[in-house]
Amino acid sequence: MVNRHLSPAWPGGPADTRHRHESTLGSARPATRRIAGLAAAILGAGAALPTPAAEDAAGTVIEIVDRDNTRTTRRGTFLPGAPRRLPFSSERIDPRRLEHQPAADLGTLLAFVGAASVSPGEGGAVNDFVLRGFADTTVYRNGLNDSRGIAAPRDLANIEQVEVLRGAAAALYGDGEPGGAINFVTKAPRAAPRTEISLDAARFGERSLLVDSTGAVPGLPGLAHRVVTSRRQGDTFRSGVKDDHWLIAPALAWHAGEGIDFIASAEYVRDRRLLDAGIFDLPGVPSVDPANFLGEAAAGPARHDGFSTQLEAGFALPDDWSLSLQAAFQRTVLGGAAVEPAAWEDGRLLRELQRRHDASHAWETRAELERSLRLGATEHALRMGVTAIVLREAISRATSDSDAFPFDIDPFARARDASPLPPVEPERDSLERRRQYAIHFNDLVTLSEHWRTLFALRYDHVAQRGRDAVAATRFDQTFGRVSPRLGVVYDSLRGALAYASFSRAFAANEGLQPDGRALAPTRANAGEIGLRWTPPTLPLTLDAAFYAIFERDVANDAPGMPGFEIQSGRQRSHGVEVDLRWQPRPALELRARYHWLDARLSDGPQLATSVTPLNAPRHSASLLAFYHHRVGATAFDLGLAANYVGRRRASLDPDELDVRLGDYLRFDLFARCAVSAHLTVHLGITNLTDTAYLAGSQGDAFSLYPGAPRSVSTGLRLRF
């Protein structure tokens, strides 16, 4: 998938009425400006809550001391203007919200705010994000693709801001699913010296340590450093499943002279845990205890490592031109054994052992030019660039034979002996190589004080080749794709703004069709209209959007022909999103979101009728309330989050289409007390009412991941 800097050139079917089995667990901009030109704010613990309009302008600050120790530059993000001025739906999760909400990873946070549905994948070792009904959402790190291979669960320790862009965006960022994209901005060096130490403890013996240190490099004017290190380990609510997660992220920022800036950053993640397929939920079969781990500890924790490094350089050129150069490398490895449920037979759960190894290497470079100019009565913000990417991905699988080696257990037994691990046979040994080159052009035209248009065009040239040693198949193809994006915005200047946009997207596929042809890329068209209203006299904002997305040439397994795929699938998704933010008092802020989704899959080889996709609820809503209070030098913050997720499909297996994940309502409470400028203590209660629910499906009714029960966490943070 092509890397894209996630910022446009912008200044400043009928319901299924059959019987359904429902789970009983559920109820109810270039780099120069990005480095040196964007306005931003860091919110202090004792500051009053910002108004919604002020928050729209917030960004991430990087302070770099120049040669005379006086210069401060600011680093921006993938939404260089206020989200409400963009011709598509977007959301920014600012540093204040990241600090206030007790989320351990990016998946938990996005579920928290209702920005995306989250489902576990790869035995619970990764998070899969569902936007507008489409899974496999592309995740970016500082505007560069961070989704190649299988990334470890995202760690919030090195994240300063998260941004969510909804809708097809291939003209801006490259190939990917049409539901949207997620970008996270990592912490950047500051000149002012500061060290932060955080200690946390939670139920089940979970504990974590974070050390974050930044400051100017002594004796080297213009150079600043930052190192973030975190460690999280302990038991989980799943019996016998432990969590051991470690991260280190160093960064350097250098202001080399007027209009010349560099940022170099790296991140290494080490994650060790048992691959957990979850639990099952079958018609006529009693529910299993959500804490019951149905795998085998003897399979051992999987090795999950990720390393990425980025280099950004920004140059101010004559005649108001600016140039940005970026380069990135990413490597991911996931290796280990997983116990997968296979069938239910005579009161016993039949299982398979799968040994796996996934490794990917990706290199990317990008160069962009940008300039703003006036032509007659119109103003143009131009951005053009080229991108090159090289990808290598190797996947191997070896699986046991459940007929020859049943490997079965009684899932309801209070205690059971460890089962010997069965032998495995190779099932897949594939290697894919991809070279991709792209050229893009964006122009935002300000026609008048009321009207703006956005035109974006991108051409991608993709060369793919690969093989599978087990299936003895090969594929080799070259294709090109043009991806346009058009948007128009009308601003009444009286608080109301309306927009409309159209875009196309594509996603490259790998594999072979039964006749030996390579799989063509999946294609999608998307349209969106929206309204944003900010009353001049009221501290509130209202955003509403209607979208429609149509995707075709979706790849599916070829029936009766293992190792081959056919392209007969289609998915259409349309829905309505409503987002309200209200600040009735300076110290109180309320946010409410509702999302109605109608998504359907059709024309699949095993689907007799259209069905909803996995983990895509028709109805979802969230409510967040923040309250700030100060007594003398002590500041208190209190927050409450309510998240409702409707019923979702649990399986696409023809024999399990009636299995649904039940709806649920979850409450989370969080509190923080800034005792002084140096000491802050906090308390969090997740799943306040201890609701039993299923968080998502990993593919079928035998692989459902339960939500965590109520948990209390507490901790303290020292800053000096």
Side-chain angles (χ1 to χ4, degrees):
M1 185 175 294
V2 172
N3 262 341
R4 290 299 302 119
H5 171 12
L6 292 185
S7 57
W10 198 286
D16 189 350
T17 58
R18 300 176 300 150
H19 169 71
R20 300 165 180 169
H21 170 70
E22 184 172 314
S23 166
T24 58
L25 285 176
S27 62
R29 170 179 299 208
T32 301
R33 291 189 185 176
R34 185 159 58 85
I35 297 174
L38 294 175
I42 290 292
L43 303 172
L49 291 172
T51 63
E55 184 180 287
D56 279 339
T60 302
V61 176
I62 169 175
E63 299 177 333
I64 306 172
V65 180
D66 73 359
R67 300 181 190 279
D68 60 6
N69 293 328
T70 60
R71 177 182 175 86
T72 295
T73 64
R74 296 175 185 250
R75 181 193 191 198
T77 64
F78 107 138
L79 296 176
R84 68 174 305 273
R85 292 170 57 85
L86 301 174
F88 38 75
S89 178
S90 60
E91 178 172 3
R92 172 183 286 136
I93 304 173
D94 57 48
R96 179 175 59 87
R97 252 203 289 179
L98 285 174
E99 183 175 359
H100 284 45
Q101 294 179 196
D105 54 62
L106 183 58
T108 304
L109 176 70
L110 293 176
F112 228 115
V113 301
S117 300
V118 183
S119 62
E122 305 297 340
V126 300
N127 291 127
D128 180 22
F129 307 106
V130 182
L131 280 173
R132 293 182 170 178
F134 292 88
D136 299 324
T137 297
T138 305
V139 176
Y140 295 78
R141 175 176 175 261
N142 300 325
L144 297 174
N145 194 311
D146 199 58
S147 291
R148 299 184 182 92
I150 299 178
R154 311 289 173 174
D155 195 319
L156 288 174
N158 191 39
I159 295 178
E160 190 141 43
Q161 186 163 282
V162 181
E163 293 149 333
V164 181
L165 185 147
R166 300 179 183 88
L172 300 174
Y173 322 129
D175 62 316
E177 288 297 327
I182 299 171
N183 178 60
F184 59 91
V185 180
T186 58
K187 295 178 179 179
R190 300 170 181 262
R194 190 186 73 185
T195 297
E196 175 182 314
I197 300 176
S198 296
L199 297 167
D200 293 89
R203 185 181 177 186
F204 309 113
E206 298 170 77
R207 54 201 182 275
S208 64
L209 169 67
L210 166 68
V211 180
D212 180 359
S213 180
T214 187
V217 179
L220 296 174
L223 192 65
H225 77 279
R226 189 163 193 164
V227 178
V228 178
T229 304
S230 72
R231 180 71 183 272
R232 184 184 71 245
Q233 60 180 167
D235 295 326
T236 69
F237 77 97
R238 300 280 288 154
S239 179
V241 179
K242 299 181 181 294
D243 179 21
D244 190 351
H245 185 90
W246 183 76
L247 171 144
I248 183 169
L252 283 174
W254 181 35
H255 176 63
E258 187 64 32
I260 304 176
D261 296 280
F262 298 91
I263 296 179
S265 62
E267 186 173 287
Y268 172 70
V269 177
R270 176 186 182 275
D271 194 89
R272 299 292 183 267
R273 70 179 71 199
L274 289 168
L275 297 180
D276 186 359
I279 62 176
F280 60 85
D281 196 78
L282 303 171
V285 178
S287 297
V288 68
D289 184 349
N292 192 355
F293 174 58
L294 303 179
E296 293 291 337
R303 172 195 175 200
H304 202 172
D305 297 328
F307 173 76
S308 61
T309 183
Q310 297 181 357
L311 175 63
E312 305 172 64
F315 305 90
L317 304 179
D319 299 324
D320 294 327
W321 284 96
S322 57
L323 169 68
S324 71
L325 303 175
Q326 294 177 280
F329 169 75
Q330 181 187 15
R331 177 180 182 269
T332 65
V333 175
L334 173 59
V339 176
E340 306 279 353
W344 179 260
E345 186 176 296
D346 298 329
R348 305 282 292 181
L349 180 66
L350 277 61
R351 305 174 301 168
E352 296 175 339
L353 178 69
Q354 183 184 87
R355 298 193 180 275
R356 60 180 300 167
H357 187 269
D358 301 58
S360 71
H361 300 75
W363 298 262
E364 180 179 0
T365 57
R366 183 173 65 206
E368 285 186 331
L369 284 169
E370 186 173 359
R371 184 186 181 188
S372 297
L373 72 160
R374 176 179 289 273
L375 296 176
T378 62
E379 295 181 358
H380 295 255
L382 302 174
R383 186 167 59 116
M384 60 199 76
V386 294
T387 302
I389 181 171
V390 176
L391 171 67
R392 182 185 187 275
E393 185 171 14
I395 300 174
S396 66
R397 299 283 188 276
T399 306
S400 66
D401 187 338
S402 60
D403 292 330
F405 302 94
F407 196 36
D408 59 319
I409 60 168
D410 177 5
F412 305 107
R414 291 183 176 272
R416 56 183 174 88
D417 297 329
S419 301
L421 301 182
V424 296
E425 297 180 358
E427 184 179 62
R428 179 178 179 180
D429 184 4
S430 65
L431 175 65
E432 180 197 359
R433 292 185 173 92
R434 186 195 306 181
R435 294 180 180 270
Q436 192 162 343
Y437 309 95
I439 183 171
H440 64 271
F441 174 83
N442 298 338
D443 185 13
L444 170 74
V445 184
T446 301
L447 303 173
S448 69
E449 62 180 357
H450 294 288
W451 291 94
R452 298 180 182 88
T453 62
L454 174 66
F455 171 72
L457 189 66
R458 178 184 174 103
Y459 174 75
D460 285 87
H461 176 84
V462 182
Q464 290 177 279
R465 60 189 178 94
R467 53 81 175 163
D468 189 304
V470 176
T473 59
R474 293 181 177 272
F475 67 90
D476 192 342
Q477 69 172 344
T478 301
F479 62 89
R481 283 294 180 269
V482 175
S483 303
R485 181 163 195 149
L486 303 172
V488 58
V489 177
Y490 173 76
D491 192 340
S492 70
L493 303 180
R494 297 180 179 179
L497 181 149
Y499 68 88
S501 67
F502 169 80
S503 56
R504 286 182 175 173
F506 77 97
N509 291 305
E510 62 176 89
L512 284 175
Q513 300 185 56
D515 59 5
R517 292 181 297 137
L519 295 169
T522 299
R523 298 170 291 170
N525 295 330
E528 180 179 346
I529 57 175
L531 174 68
R532 302 186 178 111
W533 181 52
T534 303
T537 60
L538 295 176
L540 67 83
T541 61
L542 176 65
D543 293 73
F546 170 79
Y547 63 87
I549 306 173
F550 301 90
E551 186 178 46
R552 55 181 176 170
D553 292 334
V554 178
N556 294 281
D557 292 336
M561 302 189 69
F564 293 93
E565 296 180 271
I566 61 175
Q567 291 187 275
S568 61
R570 299 187 182 188
Q571 180 173 343
R572 60 111 174 132
S573 176
H574 59 267
V576 175
E577 297 168 335
V578 181
D579 190 2
L580 174 67
R581 289 184 290 171
W582 181 37
Q583 194 167 333
R585 298 176 58 187
L588 178 63
E589 180 184 358
L590 302 174
R591 297 181 178 213
R593 175 189 297 278
Y594 170 73
H595 183 201
W596 173 81
L597 170 67
D598 183 12
R600 310 291 291 183
L601 291 167
S602 61
D603 299 336
Q606 297 177 321
L607 301 177
T609 183
S610 63
V611 299
T612 58
L614 295 175
N615 302 310
R618 179 177 287 265
H619 302 281
S620 60
S622 64
L623 174 67
L624 286 90
F626 293 95
Y627 179 73
H628 172 83
H629 183 64
R630 178 180 289 276
V631 178
T634 304
F636 299 91
D637 296 287
L638 183 65
L640 176 67
N643 189 34
Y644 172 77
V645 178
R647 292 179 295 180
R648 297 140 291 154
R649 184 172 298 282
S651 174
L652 295 178
D653 188 304
D655 296 328
E656 301 171 351
L657 292 180
D658 292 335
V659 180
R660 298 295 180 100
L661 306 180
D663 60 345
Y664 66 88
L665 177 63
R666 170 180 148 177
F667 294 92
D668 297 298
L669 181 69
F670 39 95
R672 191 180 69 131
C673 176
V675 180
S676 68
H678 303 289
L679 175 62
T680 301
V681 296
H682 59 265
L683 173 71
I685 305 177
T686 58
N687 196 359
L688 182 63
T689 57
D690 203 21
T691 300
Y693 67 98
L694 289 169
S697 170
Q698 301 183 66
D700 54 41
F702 288 94
S703 303
L704 310 178
Y705 206 78
R710 179 171 52 229
S711 177
V712 179
S713 63
T714 185
L716 59 85
R717 184 188 65 199
L718 297 172
R719 280 182 176 174
F720 49 90

